[in-house]
Amino acid sequence: MAKVACVSVRTLHAAFAEQLDETPMAYVRRVRLGRVRADLLRADPQRTRVTDLAMRWGFFHQSRFAQQYRDQFGELPSATLNR
């Protein structure tokens, strides 16, 4: 991201801290988790696996994904899917 923005890594981190109060990686993770959640809410629970959607958005460690998802949304991804 720093290269695309033509700034140093340090400058990028400082800007994220100042504007968003989080690291660039935390921001990217938050956005990706939001995309998984949106997909889960639209998905058919009979035809969709949480693992497939998580992997689609770059989450390959399933237990870590489930914990991060729960930390952000207060429920497990399977609960969101089965709503």
Side-chain angles (χ1 to χ4, degrees), residues 26-44:
Y27 171 79
V28 170
R29 184 181 312 110
R30 183 171 52 82
V31 169
R32 288 174 33 227
L33 284 167
R35 302 282 169 81
V36 172
R37 183 174 178 81
D39 285 353
L40 288 169
L41 289 168
R42 286 190 302 264
D44 176 357

Side-chain angles (χ1 to χ4, degrees), residues 1 16 22-37 57-59 64-65 67-69 71-73:
M1 288 183 1
F16 267 79
E22 63 186 342
T23 66
M25 193 61 221
Y27 171 79
V28 170
R29 184 181 312 110
R30 183 171 52 82
V31 169
R32 288 174 33 227
L33 284 167
R35 302 282 169 81
V36 172
R37 183 174 178 81
W57 288 104
F59 296 99
R64 188 177 306 139
F65 160 71
Q67 184 60 52
Q68 291 170 342
Y69 187 96
D71 290 347
Q72 184 160 329
F73 300 112

Side-chain angles (χ1 to χ4, degrees), residues 10-26:
R10 186 179 184 136
T11 299
L12 182 71
H13 275 266
F16 267 79
E18 181 182 321
Q19 296 296 315
L20 301 173
D21 198 29
E22 63 186 342
T23 66
M25 193 61 221

Side-chain angles (χ1 to χ4, degrees), residues 38-76:
D39 285 353
L40 288 169
L41 289 168
R42 286 190 302 264
D44 176 357
Q46 300 301 317
R47 298 174 48 184
T48 305
R49 294 183 334 148
V50 171
T51 300
D52 294 335
L53 291 178
M55 290 178 69
R56 175 180 178 211
W57 288 104
F59 296 99
F60 298 104
H61 191 286
Q62 294 308 303
S63 62
R64 188 177 306 139
F65 160 71
Q67 184 60 52
Q68 291 170 342
Y69 187 96
R70 186 175 188 176
D71 290 347
Q72 184 160 329
F73 300 112
E75 67 182 2
L76 292 173

